[in-house]
Amino acid sequence: MSMLGMKWKLHGTGKSIKPGHVVAPDERLAWPLTIGVGMQHVVAMFGATFLVPIITGMPPATTLFFSGIGTLLFLVITKGRVPSYLGSSFAFIAPIMASQQQFGVPGALGGVVLAGVALALIGAIVQKFGAGWINRLMPPIVTGAIVALIGLNLAPAAKMNFDAAPVTAVITLATIILVSVLFRGIVGRLSILVGVVVGYLVAMLRGEVSYEKMEAAAWIGLPHFQTPEFHVGVLGLFVPVVLVLVAENIGHVKSVAAMTGQNLDGVSGRALMADGAATVLAGIGGGSGTTTYAENIGVMAATKVYSTAAYWVAGVFAIVLSFSPKFGELIATVPPGVLGGAATMLYGMIGILGVKIWVQNKVNFSNPVNLTTAAVALIIGIADYTWTIGELTFTGIALGSAAALVIYHGMKAIAKVRGSVAEPEAEQAGLPPAVKAAVNAAAKRAQKKR
C-alpha cells in the first residue's frame, strides 16, 4: 500500500489541527473528517469541471467519471506525494470546439488523446533529465503569452452565449463578482459555482431551462462512452495545449511544495506523466482533457489539509456520482445565458493568468524581444488567424503559440550575435528608476565596446 501512497499516518489525534501545523500528504485526519474534506474537494471542482463539457457539448457524467479515474491514477503514479484533483482543463475548450466543426466529437477526442500522449512523453523526459530545459524553451514571456492568448481567443464564444440571454448572463456574472469579495474562505473561492447556481435559478424563473432529457434519464446507469478518431488536421489545434498543461502542472507541484514545505522536484516528471495518462484515458472514453486544479489548492489552503487520503475520497465520490445519468443530464440543463456570464469571467481569468505569469516573473517589456513576442502572439491569438496547408489547419492558438516561440528565440539569437539588445529580460527589483537607468546605460556602453 505504501508503494501506492495509501499508507497514511494519523495526524495527532485525528480530530484537530494545531495552529501553525498542516496535515501532510502522507497523513490523514479521522476518516469521517477526511471524507468530509474529500467531498469538499468535489464541490470545489464542480463549477469549473462541468463548464468545459457543457460548453463543448461533451457528456458531463463522462467527464466526471474520467476526472475521478484520472485523480486516482495521478495519486498512484505520484505515489501519493502530490495532493491534486484532476478536473477539466479550460485549455482544451478552444481546440475541442474548433476540431468538432471539422471532424466531429470523435475527431476532437482524438486530439485530446494525442495531447495526453505528448504530455506523458514530456513528463518522462522531465523525470529523466529535469525541468530545466522546459524553462529555457518556455521562459515566462512565452508561457504568459500562450496562456493569455488561449483565454482571450475564446472571447467570441463567451459573447455568443451572453447574447442568448443577456439578463441571466448579467446576473450570473454579477453574482460571481460579488461573492468573490463578500465572502471569505471556501465560499469566496467557490464564487463561480455560486454564480452558476444563482444564474440557473434566475434562468428557471425566466423559463430558459428544459428538463425533458433529465426526466427521461435513469437514476442509475453507465456514463456515455465514445471512442476517438485520429486526424492529422487536429495536431495544430492541440499541440499548444500541451505547453499550457506543462506550465499548469509544474506550477501546481511548486505551489504544493511551498505550502507543505516539501521538496517535490523529484516527482514533477511523474506528475506530468500522470496528467498525460489521465488525459489519454479521458480521450479514449469520451471525456474532456484533464489538468491539476487551482480550485482544490484553495481548499487545501483554507483547511490546511494536504492529505492524499482526501483526494482518494474525492476521486471515488466523483466516480460514484458519474453513474447517475439523471445527475449528468441535470448538469447539462445549464442554459446559454448562465454559461455566457460564467464564461465571461472564466475566459478572462485564463487571459489574466498569462499576465500574472509576466508580473510574478517581473518580465521587462522595455526589452524589445519581450515586447515583440507578446504583442504579435496576442494579436494572432485574439483575432484567430488561420493558416491551412492541405489537411492541416492552424488556428489562432496554434499560430500565436508558434509565433511566441519563434519570435522570442529568433530575436534573442540575432540580438546575441549583434549585441543589439541591452535591456535585461526581467525587471531589476528594488532599484530606484535612476539606478536602473544607469545600469541600462552602462550595459549599452559595454555592448558598444564589443
Side-chain angles (χ1 to χ4, degrees):
M1 298 296 281
S2 60
M3 290 296 292
L4 299 177
M6 297 178 65
K7 192 173 183 180
W8 301 284
K9 299 174 292 185
L10 192 65
H11 178 84
T13 63
K15 298 180 180 180
S16 61
I17 307 170
K18 294 181 180 178
H21 289 242
V22 299
V23 180
D26 61 348
E27 296 179 328
R28 67 169 176 83
L29 295 173
W31 279 114
L33 291 175
T34 297
I35 291 172
V37 174
M39 294 176 69
Q40 190 170 327
H41 278 299
V42 175
V43 173
M45 67 81 190
F46 257 19
T49 288
F50 279 124
L51 276 177
V52 176
I54 291 171
I55 290 171
T56 59
M58 312 287 272
T62 309
T63 295
L64 182 61
F65 174 80
F66 282 109
S67 75
I69 291 290
T71 297
L72 301 186
L73 181 63
F74 183 93
L75 295 171
V76 169
I77 293 178
T78 59
K79 297 183 178 180
R81 294 187 60 193
V82 184
S84 178
Y85 190 92
L86 295 191
S88 304
S89 172
F90 294 132
F92 280 101
I93 294 176
I96 285 177
M97 292 173 68
S99 56
Q100 281 179 348
Q101 294 176 3
Q102 292 180 272
F103 308 107
V105 173
L109 293 175
V112 172
V113 171
L114 294 175
V117 170
L119 182 61
L121 289 175
I122 292 174
I125 297 172
V126 169
Q127 191 64 26
K128 179 70 175 178
F129 301 104
W133 64 276
I134 293 179
N135 296 327
R136 290 190 293 273
L137 176 66
M138 296 191 302
I141 179 61
V142 173
T143 305
I146 293 174
V147 173
L149 67 85
I150 283 180
L152 300 176
N153 175 268
L154 292 166
K159 183 178 183 298
M160 181 177 66
N161 282 322
F162 201 102
D163 290 344
V167 174
T168 301
V170 168
I171 293 174
T172 301
L173 180 58
T175 302
I176 294 172
I177 294 170
L178 290 174
V179 169
S180 65
V181 293
L182 285 175
F183 298 95
R184 298 177 181 176
I186 189 62
V187 176
R189 294 183 182 278
L190 295 178
S191 59
I192 292 176
L193 177 60
V194 175
V196 168
V197 171
V198 172
Y200 187 88
L201 294 174
V202 171
M204 285 177 59
L205 295 174
R206 293 175 57 82
E208 298 170 358
V209 183
S210 173
Y211 293 104
E212 292 181 8
K213 291 185 178 179
M214 189 199 79
E215 291 172 352
W219 280 101
I220 300 175
L222 289 173
H224 174 71
F225 297 115
Q226 188 167 0
T227 55
E229 293 178 1
F230 298 96
H231 301 273
V232 176
V234 303
L235 289 175
L237 296 169
F238 284 89
V239 168
V241 173
V242 179
L243 303 179
V244 177
L245 295 178
V246 169
E248 287 180 341
N249 198 296
I250 290 179
H252 180 92
V253 173
K254 288 181 178 179
S255 296
V256 172
M259 289 189 293
T260 60
Q262 298 182 357
N263 185 351
L264 298 177
D265 290 346
V267 78
S268 58
R270 283 180 171 272
L272 289 167
M273 286 190 287
D275 197 354
T279 296
V280 169
L281 279 179
I284 288 175
S288 300
T290 61
T291 188
T292 49
Y293 251 37
E295 285 84 348
N296 297 95
I297 285 183
V299 173
M300 290 190 289
T303 62
K304 307 301 179 185
V305 177
Y306 301 91
S307 172
T308 53
Y311 283 99
W312 276 94
V313 172
V316 171
F317 186 46
I319 293 170
V320 170
L321 282 177
S322 72
F323 282 95
S324 175
K326 193 174 287 291
F327 176 76
E329 290 297 340
L330 173 63
I331 298 300
T333 61
V334 178
V338 177
L339 295 178
T344 299
M345 172 66 77
L346 285 172
Y347 299 164
M349 284 172 62
I350 299 172
I352 297 303
L353 280 175
V355 178
K356 183 180 177 182
I357 291 173
W358 292 336
V359 173
Q360 287 180 331
N361 292 276
K362 297 181 173 60
V363 172
N364 180 16
F365 284 100
S366 294
N367 184 312
V369 176
N370 289 342
L371 182 63
T372 306
T373 298
V376 176
L378 285 180
I379 291 300
I380 291 175
I382 294 170
D384 200 24
Y385 286 28
T386 57
W387 181 27
T388 302
I389 309 175
E391 294 184 15
L392 280 172
T393 299
F394 299 95
T395 60
I397 292 177
L399 294 176
S401 300
L405 287 164
V406 172
I407 290 172
Y408 173 80
H409 290 289
M411 289 185 70
K412 189 175 179 182
I414 294 171
K416 185 176 181 180
V417 172
R418 293 288 298 163
S420 55
V421 176
E423 290 82 359
E425 290 191 36
E427 292 281 358
Q428 297 155 349
L431 294 179
V435 176
K436 289 182 182 180
V439 171
N440 289 335
K444 290 179 180 178
R445 288 195 296 272
Q447 293 286 351
K448 291 178 180 178
K449 289 180 181 179
R450 293 180 185 178

